Amino acid sequence: MAEANTATGNPPRPVNRSSGRPDNLRLLLNNKLATAGLAIFALIVLTALAAPLLPLPDPDVTAPADRLFRPLSEGHLLGTDALGRDILSRLIWGTRVSLAVGISATLIAAFFGSLIGLVAGYAGGRVDTFLMRGIDMVMAFPYILLALAIVAVLGPGLLNALYAIAVVNIPFFARNIRGIALGLSRREFVDAARLSGESNAQILFIEVLPNVLPVIIITMSTTVGWMILETAGLSFLGLGAQPPQADLGSMLGDGRKILFTAPHVSIIPGLMIFALVMSINLLGDGVRDVLDPRLKSGALTRPLARTAVIRDIAPGDIEPSPGAVLDVRGLKTEFRFGGEVFKAVGGVDMRVGRGECLGIVGESGSGKTVAAMSIMGLVPTPPGRIAGGVALLEGEDLFAVSDERIRQLRGSAVSHVFQDPLSTLHPLFTVGDQLIEAIQSHRSMPKSRATERAVELLNLVRIPNPAERLKSYPHELSGGMRQRVCIAMALADDARIIIADEPTTALDVTVQAQVLALLDKLRRERDVGILFITHDFGVVSAICDRVAVMYAGQFVETGATGEILKSPAHPYTAKLIDCVPVLGQPERRLDAIEGRPPVVNNLPIGCAFAERCPRAQDDCRAAPIPLTEFGQGRAVRCIHPILMEAGHG
Amino acid sequence: MADAALLSIEKAERVFGGGRNLFGRARPAVHAVQDVSIEVRRGETLGIVGESGCGKSTLARMIVGLDAPTAGRIVFDGRDLVAEAGRDLRRLSREVQYVFQDPVASLNPRKTIRTILEAPLIHLLGLDKQARAARLSELMDAVNLAPEFLDRYPHEFSGGQAQRIGIARALAADPKLIVLDEPVSALDVSVQAQVLNILDGLKHKFGLTYVFISHDLSVVESVSDRVAVMYFGRIVEVGPGRSVFRHPRHPYTHLLLQSAPAPGRRSLVSDDATAELPDPYNPPPGCAFHARCPRGTDLCNARLPRLEAVSGDESHQAACFHPHERR
Ligand SMILES: Nc1ncnc2c1ncn2[C@@H]1O[C@H](COP(=O)(O)OP(=O)(O)OP(=O)(O)O)[C@@H](O)[C@H]1O
Ligand code: SF4
Ligand code: SF4
Ligand SMILES: [Mg+2]
């Protein structure tokens, strides 16, 4: 049936997620420093590669008569060294050697290091212990000392220096790669590959390796510069390139003795080493920035402490609705990426009275979290911004008050409880420390008094033996207990509103039932308003007086929970209720909602649900659908709502 | 032949940790699965419910050979394939497959859907190129995805589509039994139904047998012929779905059913009941549910209740000294 819709509809391609090569190159070129690095490095490499073609004198032919010419002398652009050899020629040939050795050493170290890391990480257990202890042993020696020792055993020479540099760098690769491989090997796709009949070697090289490759490349690009420097170091000490062959290190070493009489002999190769290593490192950093997924997602850009508010028209004095603690009107929140605007929340009204619980229900991505986080300015900027509306907390416009005031209100008058308690609780401090800090941060009181208060709070959220529990660390508590501690923290300073975003979704059913019962009791006893976000109508029934159904950034239906469940008026609400199995009605046919919600950077003019709506008609697509009153205390954003007589369920 | 057991689990046990460390000191052991015996009949869907950490996934992984029991046997179709799986997983994988909870994490981000679906065809069935192409289009058709999707990468798919790919992979080698470990838990409510409906269709079309694991009672109720309830590593109640859900005998099943949120009902649970599981390193000698059980007595604390038929109905068993009456 309509299933084909989903099957043939193109999955949306997120604008900022494609990972093709041209894209990466463009990203790299966006970075000015990396581009400069790339240009210098390319110039050096091309010159070095072209050495045999260039009209250069033989770098190793000595001409004692021409010794120590200054730069810019006739026939010797960069002068000559103590044996009368042309410095320009030696420099280019020497760079060639240094590059070749540095890059070969990197490749060797990367190959063996990555192999060890991959095998150790994937195999785990004894193999891992054995390999990594070996690596630790290598790392126990000071780096350059080990290289010196290896050359001392093998004897001086360029090739031996190469081996030494490669060997001392293997642990670096092995450790980096092992960590990644270890994580990947516990991922489900590895189990899936095993069940698809792949052998261990196939899994390691076909499944795991491609995912590790970017890390190997990052590690290589950030180490090759150092390896060139280390080779130069060994040659400088006379352990690398042997005369008459030149590399940058040995040239530097040759010039050292005559540093004062003929400084150019050592300064020129020194500058070259500097330019080479510098350009490689700039380029390497650029490559890392492009390939590192964390940097790509912007997770490392530091957002502002509060969401930017950019309202077209500053609203005049708005009278808060009587009895409302929180009164949000016309809230709009957007995300901007490049030229595109994602209207995550497109004009939402929320009203919560004392001791009232308003539920927001909707599919993933409908904007529930963004709407709730906008209230206290917790949406990250960039890319988020509040583009319109007001949020009145007992009459005070939260979008207009100072940062200082918001900071005061956060955690006191307005508290948050999140899905994952571990995102609120710090793992390294005891529950007591954190509770006491929360209490003292809003009201100064002596520690002993704060401790008493903490015990009271834990009692309130029904944690047995609270005085003892204060000494526990979060990981020592069960999921349900942790969530209770978070609720206790939310209550630390007489909250008037608790914003709870899926607070029970991660909990087991029996625990969920208790946490819901607890929240329900608290709001009745302490008159706290709750804004409760969930995707589960069952949970809504358990606690919410009123419910708002959200779709593509807007509320499509609001009203009393019981009424909406009994006779949903909006086709989306009806479908959302019908698509989940209900306990006690196993025979009920599940009615899937075909298709998927529209992407919020490209909303249709008319009804956002029209594509998936069985009742859609032409007029639905023509113009925006307003949220209109639909009986007492109810509103629906639909021009062909399901009427009660038509009967549902 | 409808009643023949396709899979029978006999006193399966999985202990993690344990043994002695380098210095001969005993390491703590956790019994993730203990003394589990159950049969899965040809063509049925066996639902397994229980809360996090009760051993559901460990049991599932043992059935497909990703993990091995430390004691007991798992016999598939009369052969002890699971024991052989340690040496050669492929034979078992041709018969028993697995669908993972997180659809996106179970697909390698750097492989196209074609490569992912071809793996079992190559490694398990050894099909040639032509046969593979034919099978691939059959599979995509079975899970209702357009064949164009074959050359896309996993991140381009929504959760529901990704899970259908996971199902197609499980189907690829034409197995008899599929273990579904929370197959819809990571999906949005609106797509859960799609996936459940597809699973139902496939079962009839290919004559499959399912072991369906979930913490969501309403989902399990809607898909299962028989249901097993697990608590703290053991099966505490098992029976026909209808009977277990309508007339739960074990106090834990009772509590689960009361706790489950359902549209149109307020919670029936008090907020101060304890919900703590026993310490897995120091399990109680008797019934593991005793600390939370409103019907518990001293007997329960002293002895372990065995899984037994309740009031003469052989198909419905519970491990409890004081089971609820049939309502
Ligand atoms: N930090 C962010 N940067 C960019 N876009 C974001 C950000 N946070 C949310 N969005 C976008 O805003 C929209 C609404 O997301 P939101 O998290 O509010 O959904 P939700 O209804 O809470 O979903 P869920 O049920 O999955 O929690 C989505 O399109 C999402 O991709
Ligand atoms: S306005 Fe039209 S398309 Fe939108 S929900 Fe109502 S009937 Fe469906
Ligand atoms: S055996 Fe006793 S403690 Fe265990 S569930 Fe039954 S009545 Fe409760
Ligand atoms: Mg959310």
Side-chain angles (χ1 to χ4, degrees):
Chain A
M1 28 167 258
E3 180 68 84
N5 278 352
T6 15
T8 45
N10 286 351
R13 288 163 177 272
V15 273
N16 55 340
R17 243 203 277 165
S18 55
S19 53
R21 185 160 293 148
D23 219 11
N24 282 346
L25 188 63
R26 212 195 61 223
L27 277 175
L28 185 67
L29 294 181
N30 269 347
N31 181 338
K32 288 206 189 69
L33 285 176
T35 314
L38 179 65
I40 299 174
F41 183 60
L43 186 73
I44 296 176
V45 169
L46 288 177
T47 316
L49 282 177
L53 308 175
L54 297 175
L56 294 169
D58 188 321
D60 298 335
V61 170
T62 57
D66 297 342
R67 62 194 297 268
L68 295 180
F69 280 175
R70 300 275 144 173
L72 302 179
S73 335
E74 178 75 46
H76 301 286
L77 195 58
L78 295 179
T80 56
D81 68 3
L83 296 176
R85 296 173 295 196
D86 182 61
I87 291 186
L88 178 65
S89 171
R90 281 181 75 74
L91 184 73
I92 292 176
W93 282 98
T95 306
R96 203 173 140 97
V97 172
S98 287
L99 271 175
V101 174
I103 292 174
S104 319
T106 309
L107 288 175
I108 295 174
F111 180 80
F112 288 103
S114 304
L115 192 67
I116 294 174
L118 271 174
V119 171
Y122 177 72
R126 280 202 201 117
V127 178
D128 183 29
T129 316
F130 176 75
L131 287 175
M132 292 328 281
R133 285 302 87 71
I135 292 293
D136 286 347
M137 254 147 67
V138 176
M139 288 189 96
F141 292 101
Y143 198 62
I144 199 75
L145 222 59
L146 183 64
L148 286 175
I150 295 173
V151 179
V153 172
L154 297 176
L158 202 51
L159 208 59
N160 293 341
L162 189 158
Y163 294 146
I165 299 294
V167 168
V168 298
N169 277 290
I170 284 178
F172 188 61
F173 280 90
R175 301 202 117 183
N176 261 346
I177 305 306
R178 171 190 172 261
I180 312 282
L182 190 71
L184 284 168
S185 306
R186 308 289 174 273
R187 290 270 293 275
E188 291 186 338
F189 71 77
V190 169
D191 281 338
R194 194 164 290 145
L195 293 178
S196 294
E198 291 178 28
S199 66
N200 281 330
Q202 281 165 335
I203 293 176
L204 190 54
F205 293 108
I206 305 179
E207 305 285 336
V208 179
L209 180 61
N211 286 287
V212 181
L213 217 49
V215 183
I216 298 180
I217 293 173
I218 291 172
T219 318
M220 276 170 64
S221 67
T222 48
T223 47
V224 61
W226 299 119
M227 297 219 207
I228 290 177
L229 208 56
E230 284 152 17
T231 325
L234 288 183
S235 290
F236 178 81
L237 297 175
L239 299 170
Q242 297 301 307
Q245 193 187 31
D247 83 342
L248 294 173
S250 62
M251 286 176 72
L252 201 62
D254 290 347
R256 184 184 42 148
K257 287 157 258 167
I258 43 173
L259 185 61
F260 294 104
T261 49
H264 69 279
V265 179
S266 46
I267 287 178
I268 289 170
L271 284 177
M272 181 53 116
I273 293 176
F274 173 76
L276 189 59
V277 174
M278 195 66 190
S279 67
I280 291 178
N281 285 351
L282 288 177
L283 180 62
D285 286 353
V287 169
R288 188 199 56 207
D289 290 357
V290 169
L291 293 184
D292 192 323
R294 274 178 313 163
L295 293 157
K296 230 189 209 171
S297 71
L300 296 188
T301 54
R302 220 189 143 83
L304 302 178
R306 181 180 174 193
T307 317
V309 179
I310 299 165
R311 292 186 284 202
D312 293 344
I313 354 151
D317 274 341
I318 294 188
E319 275 299 304
S321 329
V325 183
L326 179 71
D327 193 0
V328 177
R329 308 260 185 95
L331 169 67
K332 288 188 181 161
T333 309
E334 302 174 347
F335 293 99
R336 297 188 174 223
F337 292 106
E340 294 198 73
V341 183
F342 290 75
K343 296 186 174 154
V345 178
V348 153
D349 296 346
M350 295 179 268
R351 217 197 61 98
V352 185
R354 299 195 131 262
E356 191 187 30
C357 178
L358 169 68
I360 302 183
V361 205
E363 280 174 82
S364 179
S366 56
K368 309 182 292 285
T369 301
V370 175
M373 299 296 257
S374 300
I375 296 171
M376 292 311 280
L378 291 174
V379 176
T381 296
R385 55 159 67 173
I386 289 163
V390 281
L392 303 175
L393 179 72
E394 295 177 334
E396 190 176 6
D397 183 359
L398 294 173
F399 297 160
V401 299
S402 67
D403 288 358
E404 176 53 30
R405 177 79 182 130
I406 278 284
R407 205 195 57 75
Q408 273 175 16
L409 290 174
R410 281 184 193 163
S412 60
V414 183
S415 308
H416 291 84
V417 179
F418 299 103
Q419 175 171 343
D420 178 8
L422 288 180
S423 68
T424 310
L425 298 175
H426 195 292
L428 298 181
F429 293 94
T430 64
V431 165
D433 289 343
Q434 300 186 54
L435 253 178
I436 290 166
E437 197 203 308
I439 292 165
Q440 288 180 325
S441 71
H442 293 287
R443 213 175 291 170
S444 62
M445 57 171 81
K447 176 122 193 228
S448 59
R449 174 76 198 94
T451 310
E452 274 171 42
R453 176 104 180 95
V455 172
E456 276 168 40
L457 285 171
L458 289 190
N459 242 329
L460 190 70
V461 297
R462 305 201 163 267
I463 287 188
N465 203 355
E468 273 304 301
R469 276 305 176 192
L470 286 181
K471 294 180 206 130
S472 310
Y473 288 91
H475 70 88
E476 295 168 339
L477 304 179
S478 67
M481 293 251 253
R482 278 183 220 138
Q483 198 58 296
R484 282 165 197 248
V485 171
C486 290
I487 295 173
M489 279 172 95
L491 294 171
D493 195 56
D494 283 324
R496 273 157 286 160
I497 283 278
I498 295 179
I499 297 176
D501 192 349
E502 310 245 11
T504 59
T505 305
L507 304 177
D508 283 324
V509 255
T510 57
V511 184
Q512 161 169 296
Q514 288 170 11
V515 171
L516 289 177
L518 172 67
L519 279 172
D520 196 39
K521 196 171 94 165
L522 288 176
R523 73 170 172 117
R524 285 170 203 285
E525 286 177 1
R526 301 173 53 115
D527 253 3
V528 206
I530 301 182
L531 188 63
F532 195 101
I533 298 175
T534 177
H535 60 267
D536 185 339
F537 269 111
V539 171
V540 169
S541 294
I543 181 165
C544 302
D545 308 303
R546 286 189 306 122
V547 59
V549 181
M550 196 161 189
Y551 187 75
Q554 291 187 315
F555 286 168
V556 294
E557 179 159 13
T558 61
T561 309
E563 275 181 48
I564 288 192
L565 280 170
K566 195 161 80 231
S567 57
H570 196 284
Y572 176 65
T573 316
K575 285 242 162 203
L576 203 55
I577 295 174
D578 279 350
C579 72
V580 283
V582 172
L583 207 58
Q585 305 171 18
E587 258 74 62
R588 210 171 73 135
R589 216 186 117 264
L590 296 184
D591 198 2
I593 311 182
E594 301 309 336
R596 47 158 89 213
V599 184
V600 286
N601 64 340
N602 190 17
L603 288 173
I605 317 164
C607 177
F609 189 56
E611 281 309 306
R612 308 166 78 184
C613 180
R615 300 169 70 88
Q617 296 175 24
D618 286 347
D619 53 350
C620 300
R621 298 191 173 86
I625 314 285
L627 192 65
T628 39
E629 204 144 305
F630 187 82
Q632 172 90 60
R634 232 175 128 178
V636 176
R637 193 185 293 277
C638 174
I639 47 181
H640 307 291
I642 305 169
L643 300 175
M644 226 178 298
E645 297 79 52
H648 167 76
Chain B
M1 278 299 285
D3 262 345
L6 181 63
L7 179 83
S8 71
I9 303 173
E10 297 163 13
K11 294 193 176 301
E13 176 199 84
R14 178 68 171 97
V15 183
F16 290 106
R20 298 193 173 271
N21 68 8
L22 236 53
F23 309 104
R25 212 173 301 146
R27 283 187 301 178
V30 177
H31 286 73
V33 167
Q34 235 179 326
D35 195 19
V36 165
S37 298
I38 194 167
E39 292 192 337
V40 185
R41 298 172 199 150
R42 212 175 286 275
E44 79 170 349
T45 297
L46 173 72
I48 300 182
V49 280
E51 297 183 287
S52 65
C54 73
K56 304 185 295 282
S57 291
T58 309
L59 184 62
R61 292 172 63 84
M62 292 195 297
I63 297 175
V64 296
L66 284 174
D67 202 345
T70 41
R73 295 205 311 159
I74 299 181
V75 178
F76 180 83
D77 212 2
R79 289 171 292 167
D80 198 347
L81 278 186
V82 178
E84 288 169 30
R87 273 165 283 133
D88 183 13
L89 185 56
R90 287 181 193 172
R91 274 182 63 192
L92 181 65
S93 295
R94 265 172 231 137
E95 311 278 358
V96 184
Q97 275 291 338
Y98 195 71
V99 173
F100 294 84
Q101 170 166 0
D102 185 342
V104 178
S106 69
L107 303 175
N108 190 336
R110 300 204 166 250
K111 303 277 154 190
T112 62
I113 304 310
R114 182 186 302 280
T115 323
I116 291 172
L117 291 183
E118 275 189 336
L121 302 180
I122 297 171
H123 302 294
L124 295 177
L125 300 183
L127 295 186
D128 63 21
K129 203 164 175 199
Q130 221 173 354
R132 288 206 300 266
R135 182 81 183 130
L136 279 184
S137 67
E138 259 173 53
L139 287 172
M140 291 300 269
D141 193 47
V143 295
N144 220 333
L145 288 172
E148 294 93 87
F149 285 10
L150 281 172
D151 294 306
R152 302 242 176 113
Y153 287 87
H155 74 260
E156 298 178 46
F157 292 89
S158 69
Q161 290 171 326
Q163 193 57 296
R164 285 190 262 164
I165 294 164
I167 293 170
R169 171 175 54 202
L171 279 177
D174 204 8
K176 297 201 180 74
L177 175 74
I178 299 186
V179 178
L180 303 132
D181 189 0
E182 306 260 9
V184 295
S185 306
L187 303 181
D188 219 328
V189 280
S190 66
V191 285
Q192 276 190 11
Q194 274 175 19
V195 172
L196 289 176
N197 290 343
I198 284 191
L199 283 173
D200 194 44
L202 293 174
K203 186 179 165 192
H204 293 112
K205 191 164 161 195
F206 298 109
L208 296 167
T209 303
Y210 287 157
V211 173
F212 192 109
I213 295 175
S214 178
H215 68 275
D216 187 332
L217 294 153
S218 50
V219 169
V220 167
E221 186 188 23
S222 74
V223 301
S224 311
D225 302 309
R226 280 194 315 138
V227 175
V229 182
M230 285 186 76
Y231 187 73
F232 206 62
R234 296 174 190 268
I235 292 181
V236 295
E237 181 158 7
V238 60
R242 202 166 255 280
S243 164
V244 170
F245 280 92
R246 291 262 167 86
H247 312 289
R249 297 311 186 86
H250 196 281
Y252 176 63
T253 316
H254 207 80
L255 175 68
L256 272 183
L257 287 166
Q258 280 195 321
S259 307
R265 104 171 175 200
R266 287 225 162 231
S267 178
L268 307 168
V269 175
S270 85
D271 64 316
D272 55 351
T274 156
E276 297 306 298
L277 291 169
D279 179 3
Y281 291 107
N282 188 14
C287 174
F289 193 57
H290 184 256
R292 300 167 68 180
C293 184
R295 304 168 77 90
T297 59
D298 287 346
L299 171 67
C300 312
N301 206 13
R303 275 181 39 207
L304 195 67
R306 302 186 50 82
L307 195 58
E308 280 166 345
V310 276
S311 59
D313 180 0
E314 267 308 316
S315 66
H316 191 161
Q317 303 179 319
C320 175
F321 293 120
H322 314 292
H324 283 265
E325 296 303 309
R326 195 186 153 104
R327 274 174 303 174

